[in-house]
Amino acid sequence: MHLGQYQRTSTTRRRFARLAALAAAAAVALTGCTAPEPAPAEEPPAPTTLTVGVVGEPTSFNSASAHGNTPANRAVSAFIDEHLGSLDGTLQVVPNDGLGRITRIEGDPLTVSYELFPDRVWSDGTPITLDDLLFGWAVSSHYFDDATYDETGAVVSGTRYFETSETEDPNAQTSRPLLDRASDTLTLTYDEPFADWNRQWLLDRPVHIVAAQAGVSVRDLITAILTTPEGDPAAPVAPNPVLAAAAAAWNTGFDAAADGALDPAKAVASGPWTVGEATPSSITLVRRDDYQGGHYPGLEGLTLRFFPDRAAQVAAVAAGEVDVANIGDPDAADLEALADAGVSVLTGPTAQTLQLRFAADTPDALRQALTLSLDREAIVTDALGEERDDARPLQSFLSSPATGQTYADLIAGNGAPGTGADPGAARAALEDRPAVLRVAHDPTDEIARAVFAQMITMGAEAGIAVRAAAANEVPDATLAWVGEDESLYRSARDRLAEGVTTAEAEQTFEQMTRDTDPVDVLERAKEIDRALFASYAGIPLLERTGAIAVAEGVGGVTYTSEPDGIPPSFWTWSAPTR
């Protein structure tokens, strides 16, 4: 019965189908055999772009100059400027094997070669060559300077050619480079071994652009670099006119106009992006079709939006106007607002650390007593617990968890003390005599103010009256933020220069400057830490928190420890699927 019903129904359907076909044929005949309309074309996929939020205003396409070294300009540089190395999220060097390679040929005398792959070009199509590396060396080495400076850093005699943001490093002096154009290799020989040789990347502004702005030929500029004598501050001479013209072009030629207008033509890029439109509030980046390096991005474009302050930046992220942003040290309210908006926030440590530095004449017993009186676990929990529940007391003068495995290796055997308080031992160190510790600190800094208040309470339990140093007093200790050092060598140099030092630490640092193997540098850093902890030179406390906001659906974005830095590996970023 069921089968029969199915047959009758099928026969009826076939009859209706034949009638419909005949009707359709007749309709075609009546309309002159008009063809059916084609199916609508598929919409092309939308371009994949993201918007990156940055605090500040872009003022120059040269972030290496003294006045161009701002967070906003560095953010632009992170996308358009490519080098033979970069820093990852833990501030460690990652070689850029898509552009060339840096090789240590010999340790003493330290000899380093720079090789460029021959088919790499600037965004205007000009090849990237050894001439560009040679010019970068001339800029960063200050080889030709013969200037003498006063106590404020002003030139009082002689010539300083390139006004770089980094001062000349006495440990990074080299002879004039040797060029092997057949193998596209530049070789540097250092006057003395130098621990940070793998952080000297040389590639800077395009030499052909600098020469054009200076009104000289590339050939004349390269000849000047290869033949002008090394500068001697003890015997200054008239400046070389070609170098002086190139330096003037480099110092200011990439800056915005007086009205703030930026010229995209000045942003000739070595990286995978080129500048499309540029204003003080927004810069659009377009992917380069001719880019041949190893960092080709999946995105077709980026927009950099600039904000006057963190509050405006965070508000734009929460409103969905920005996809990726380094939002600095967030408070609990910021984190809650972003979470409510569906924004992911990656938090972690930065290289800015809060340390207490004792004055040279502060008695040893008082130094030891205060160190023993502080419960550093409680200090860190109160200061960072809401933003980072995994934060722990800082255990090194020279590094922080921001450097990842480097920090973990350093604190294994560096003499760091315990992190809890021992008021009884502190009183014993003072032989139960009361003491006063005058501390200089910034009361407008929220974290420093809270830590200082805890020092007062904890010190009192050990008989130490901690109070703020008056303006007319010499403080016994200074509570201050230090850091943004991306290497153990630079951090050791800076901490010792700031007064956290001992004779033993100074001697060890002299050895460190000659170490070119990372294993040896790490061991010297441990020795410096041990010397500083043993003498109670100060107390490392905690590091500032960083945060990267990432909009829902955005992929590939990772954390960076660099304050204000752009998250690394932008070539792995992906836009949300719509």
Side-chain angles (χ1 to χ4, degrees), residues 291-333:
Y291 174 74
Q292 295 295 322
H295 298 156
Y296 192 82
L299 299 170
E300 296 172 87
L302 283 174
T303 298
L304 308 184
R305 282 190 58 191
F306 300 92
F307 299 92
D309 51 42
R310 288 286 185 209
Q313 181 197 39
V314 171
V317 174
E321 300 169 6
V322 168
D323 299 299
V324 179
N326 187 331
I327 59 173
D329 192 355
D331 59 27

Side-chain angles (χ1 to χ4, degrees), residues 366 369 430 433-437 459 462-466:
L366 181 54
L430 291 171
R433 292 194 297 265
V436 176
L437 185 79
I464 304 171
V466 176

Side-chain angles (χ1 to χ4, degrees), residues 491-563:
S491 182
R493 178 194 63 189
D494 293 349
R495 295 299 84 76
L496 298 179
E498 291 160 356
V500 183
T501 187
T502 67
E504 182 182 350
E506 296 280 355
Q507 292 173 356
T508 303
F509 177 71
E510 287 299 318
Q511 295 174 296
M512 178 190 273
T513 65
R514 302 183 59 82
D515 289 325
T516 61
D517 188 314
V519 174
D520 295 332
V521 172
L522 177 64
E523 184 53 41
R524 297 286 184 259
K526 287 186 177 185
E527 292 176 23
I528 292 173
D529 259 347
R530 285 195 288 266
L532 297 179
F533 281 122
S535 66
Y536 299 99
I539 307 173
L541 295 167
L542 52 86
E543 70 278 354
R544 198 182 291 279
T545 295
I548 306 298
V550 185
E552 185 175 3
V554 174
V557 180
T558 56
Y559 178 76
T560 178
S561 298
E562 182 182 0

Side-chain angles (χ1 to χ4, degrees), residues 138-149 157-164 168 229-234 236 243 247:
V139 171
S140 62
S141 69
H142 296 278
Y143 183 85
F144 305 102
D145 291 357
D146 57 14
T148 300
Y149 305 90
S157 67
T159 302
R160 174 180 172 87
Y161 287 96
F162 298 97
E163 298 172 1
T164 59
E168 181 181 2
E230 182 178 4
D232 181 2
L243 284 177

Side-chain angles (χ1 to χ4, degrees), residues 107-195:
D108 192 4
L110 176 60
T111 308
V112 181
S113 73
Y114 294 76
E115 179 187 358
L116 284 174
F117 297 150
D119 57 348
R120 305 309 187 242
V121 298
W122 297 97
S123 58
D124 64 358
T126 303
I128 300 174
T129 71
L130 296 186
D131 290 342
D132 293 295
L133 288 185
L134 182 65
F135 176 72
W137 167 83
V139 171
S140 62
S141 69
H142 296 278
Y143 183 85
F144 305 102
D145 291 357
D146 57 14
T148 300
Y149 305 90
D150 64 17
E151 63 277 2
T152 67
V155 175
V156 294
S157 67
T159 302
R160 174 180 172 87
Y161 287 96
F162 298 97
E163 298 172 1
T164 59
S165 59
E166 294 290 335
T167 57
E168 181 181 2
D169 194 326
N171 299 109
Q173 300 303 297
T174 75
S175 58
R176 203 187 310 264
L178 298 178
L179 305 182
D180 184 345
R181 295 191 183 276
S183 61
D184 283 320
T185 301
L186 177 150
T187 301
L188 288 180
T189 300
Y190 285 78
D191 295 352
E192 298 286 345
F194 176 53

Side-chain angles (χ1 to χ4, degrees), residues 49-53 281-285 301-306 324:
T49 65
L50 292 176
T51 298
V52 180
S281 61
S282 178
I283 291 179
T284 59
L285 303 178
L302 283 174
T303 298
L304 308 184
R305 282 190 58 191
F306 300 92
V324 179

